């Protein structure tokens, strides 16, 4: 593993079920994450994914790649284009820095509208990889 | 302008004040909530199950959520700040940033407490969503005396930008000759005229039969099956109620008559002569229902 290495992408179908299940699993009952009619009244074309789900998916992407012994230390994300039902998000990552067993990874999640999430993670890598 | 500056000054006064003091998690960290999270997100990491399970670190905020029953430990200051923004028209909210540090893993049985401080409130900013203020909070999450993690969260409280109102779709022209057809559409039926003299179906609705000149007729409900007989793609000129490009097709019904309408279920550039279609009824607003043609093959 080297600085500049690119992680294999993870493609996720942004289904209505994923958006609602993620919102409820993260205990986020804001209507814009489950009620299309109320979302529209607030100026959104449909329900959209909450930030906690996006955060969790970025975490999953990293540990899927680095394995169960990798420990996430920091994760900073910024949201851009919303994840609406019917879209597809592709998560990609680049190793920005390696310092001993500490990796800094830049993550981007792109959907049909643009960059849904941009973020930086710091992980301590386990012994197995 | 004066009032804007005045508001910003009042908002800034909240910086450094607590948003939550000694909040407690509604539930101890527990395996069922961890499992539900993993199931929703498709996370199969074995570290999150079994006797030595830890919670996914990104669940940090979830343990602090108020859920439907609301927050505990939320301070008057935070409610005041949000109330001030609501009163200024910034009634909508969207989360924009989340920065978390994980100091130790959370495990089933851990009972969390948290303290949140309002770190900053931005000047008035104009975004694509509307204009408003970014509010940044920082939450320290503890188990007993130990820091488990910190969670910095930024929301935009904003007044939604006014969207230009789309004019309603033009209404079909309903007259004495074709009123029966549009009454049928309102009842979600596709009615054809049929000559009672020679039994020829016809469309559009007319006073007399094209085949035999007969003036008497009754109606028959069409099966709704048809094929694309011909089509055009409209690019220009744009009409405010429509989103070009779109396909307008001449549909040949199973009964032999032809009818104009939009084809749905495929992009405009995939419409082809011969495509099999079936009628659907689409409500464009409270007063307008139109037949449209969904591709079935």
């Amino acid at each position: 593993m080297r600085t500049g290495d690119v992680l294999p992408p993870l493609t996720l179908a942004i289904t209505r079920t994923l958006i609602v299940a993620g919102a409820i699993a993260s205990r986020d009952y804001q209507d814009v994450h489950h009620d299309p009619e109320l979302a529209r009244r607030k100026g959104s074309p449909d329900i959209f994914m909450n930030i906690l789900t996006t955060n969790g998916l970025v975490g999953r992407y990293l540990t899927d790649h680095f394995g169960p012994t990798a420990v996430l230390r920091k994760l900073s994300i910024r949201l851009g284009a919303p994840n609406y039902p019917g879209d597809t998000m592709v998560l990609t990552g680049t190793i920005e820095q390696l310092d001993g067993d500490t990796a800094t990874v830049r993550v981007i999640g792109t959907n049909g509208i643009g960059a849904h999430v941009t973020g930086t993670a710091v992980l301590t890598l386990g012994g197995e990889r | 302008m004066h009032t804007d500056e005045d508001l910003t000054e009042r908002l800034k006064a909240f910086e450094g004040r607590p948003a939550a003091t000694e909040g407690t998690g509604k539930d101890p960290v527990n395996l069922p909530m961890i499992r539900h999270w993993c199931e929703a997100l498709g996370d199969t990491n074995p570290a999150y199950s079994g006797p030595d399970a830890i919670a996914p670190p990104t669940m940090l905020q979830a343990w602090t959520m108020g859920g439907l029953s609301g927050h505990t430990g939320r301070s008057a200051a935070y409610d005041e700040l949000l109330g001030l923004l609501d009163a200024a028209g910034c009634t909508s909210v969207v989360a924009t940033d989340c920065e978390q540090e994980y100091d130790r893993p959370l495990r089933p049985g851990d009972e969390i407490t948290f303290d949140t401080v309002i770190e900053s409130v931005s000047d008035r900013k104009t975004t694509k969503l509307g204009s408003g203020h970014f509010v940044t909070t920082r939450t320290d999450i503890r188990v007993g005396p130990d820091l488990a993690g910190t969670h910095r969260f930024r929301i935009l409280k904003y007044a939604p930008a006014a969207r230009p109102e789309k004019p309603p779709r033009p209404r079909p022209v309903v007259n004495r000759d074709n009123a029966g057809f549009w009454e049928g559409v309102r009842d979600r039926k596709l009615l054809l005229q049929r000559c009672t003299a020679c039994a020829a179906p016809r469309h559009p609705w007319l006073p007399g039969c094209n085949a035999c000149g007969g003036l008497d007729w009754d109606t028959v409900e069409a099966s709704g099956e048809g094929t694309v007989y011909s089509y055009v793609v409209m690019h220009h000129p744009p009409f405010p109620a429509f989103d070009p490009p779109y396909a307008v097709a001449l549909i040949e019904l199973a009964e032999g008559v032809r009818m104009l309408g939009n084809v749905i279920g495929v992009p405009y550039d995939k419409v082809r002569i011969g495509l099999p279609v079936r009628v659907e009824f689409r409500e464009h607003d409270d007063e307008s229902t139109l037949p449209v043609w969904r591709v079935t093959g």
Side-chain angles (χ1 to χ4, degrees):
Chain A
M1 193 187 310
R2 274 189 266 174
T3 302
D5 277 3
V6 175
L7 278 52
L10 173 67
T11 301
L12 293 160
I14 308 302
T15 62
R16 203 167 282 280
T17 303
L18 172 60
I19 294 170
V20 174
I24 302 309
S26 58
R27 295 190 42 75
D28 184 347
Y29 292 88
Q30 294 281 334
D31 51 31
V32 290
H33 305 309
H34 64 260
D35 188 325
E37 187 48 45
L38 295 181
R40 275 193 282 274
R41 270 189 231 164
K42 290 183 175 161
S44 174
D46 204 333
I47 61 166
F48 56 92
M49 185 176 282
N50 70 338
I51 194 167
L52 289 87
T53 301
T54 301
N55 205 43
L57 290 173
V58 172
R60 173 194 149 187
Y61 174 56
L62 294 166
T63 49
D64 275 2
H65 178 73
F66 291 105
T69 56
V71 179
L72 194 56
R73 299 291 181 197
K74 285 184 194 178
L75 180 58
S76 304
I77 62 164
R78 168 162 292 183
L79 295 191
N83 266 345
Y84 296 119
D87 208 338
T88 301
M89 177 170 72
V90 181
L91 287 164
T92 53
T94 310
I95 297 182
E96 219 170 48
Q97 206 185 323
L98 266 180
D99 185 6
D101 59 357
T102 301
T104 304
V105 184
R106 181 86 182 144
V107 178
I108 299 177
T110 308
N111 63 24
I113 318 172
H116 166 67
V117 56
T118 48
T120 304
V122 178
L123 299 100
T124 305
L125 305 180
E128 288 172 28
R129 287 188 186 213
Chain B
M1 287 322 279
H2 174 74
T3 52
D4 267 11
E5 282 168 25
D6 189 41
L7 175 68
T8 301
E9 205 172 301
R10 287 167 68 195
L11 294 172
K12 296 265 187 204
F14 285 89
E15 291 181 352
R17 293 180 66 184
T21 309
E22 288 178 34
T24 52
K26 294 247 160 169
D27 298 283
V29 175
N30 65 85
L31 282 171
M33 283 173 65
I34 294 172
R35 199 183 63 73
H36 295 168
W37 168 282
C38 290
E39 197 173 288
L41 272 55
D43 196 332
T44 56
N45 189 339
Y48 307 147
S49 61
D52 297 323
I54 59 165
T58 52
M59 270 189 91
L60 188 65
Q61 187 187 0
W63 306 114
T64 71
M65 295 292 275
L68 285 174
S69 51
H71 286 277
T72 49
R74 189 129 128 180
S75 76
Y78 196 60
D79 286 336
E80 267 173 52
L81 171 62
L82 297 184
L84 201 57
L85 286 161
D86 282 334
C90 299
T91 50
S92 290
V93 63
V94 63
T96 60
D97 296 78
C98 173
E99 299 168 21
Q100 298 183 330
E101 289 184 38
Y102 313 108
D103 294 84
R104 50 150 283 191
L106 288 171
R107 296 177 188 280
D110 283 346
E111 302 207 17
I112 62 122
T113 59
F114 58 95
D115 294 276
T116 305
V117 63
I118 301 163
E119 270 196 343
S120 66
V121 186
S122 78
D123 294 337
R124 188 90 174 185
K125 303 280 185 189
T126 300
T127 73
K128 232 190 264 181
L129 291 168
S131 95
H133 297 264
F134 289 94
V135 177
T136 307
T137 54
R138 179 196 153 106
T139 302
D140 290 335
I141 292 130
R142 291 189 170 80
V143 176
D146 300 333
L147 189 66
T150 59
H151 165 66
R152 182 176 284 113
F153 203 60
R154 188 166 301 123
I155 59 168
L156 172 67
K157 275 284 279 176
Y158 67 100
R163 292 173 166 237
E165 282 280 308
K166 216 178 191 185
R169 199 181 163 103
R171 298 291 188 268
V173 176
V174 180
N175 57 33
R176 271 189 300 177
D177 288 333
N178 68 11
F181 175 76
W182 292 109
E183 279 164 25
V185 167
R186 211 172 49 212
D187 296 337
R188 300 180 166 253
K189 288 179 182 169
L190 206 57
L191 298 180
L192 307 179
Q193 263 182 321
R194 182 173 57 184
C195 176
T196 46
C198 74
R202 62 177 186 261
H203 189 88
W205 285 34
L206 293 165
C209 176
N210 297 320
C212 73
L215 293 176
D216 295 323
W217 53 271
D218 60 6
T219 58
V220 56
E221 185 176 349
S223 65
E225 305 290 335
T227 53
V228 173
Y229 182 79
S230 183
Y231 66 95
V232 292
V233 174
M234 280 295 294
H235 293 271
H236 195 78
F239 299 99
F242 296 85
D243 298 312
Y246 52 91
V248 181
L250 185 62
I251 306 299
E252 184 159 271
L253 273 65
E255 290 78 6
V257 301
R258 295 176 195 148
M259 203 173 280
L260 283 169
N262 289 119
V263 174
I264 61 169
V266 295
Y268 69 91
D269 58 353
K270 296 284 187 261
V271 175
R272 291 289 179 272
I273 288 169
L275 271 183
V277 292
R278 183 181 301 132
V279 75
E280 276 183 21
F281 295 92
R282 190 167 269 194
E283 284 175 28
H284 287 280
D285 47 59
D286 291 344
E287 297 167 31
S288 180
T289 302
L290 293 175
V292 293
W293 300 91
R294 181 175 292 280
V295 173
T296 56

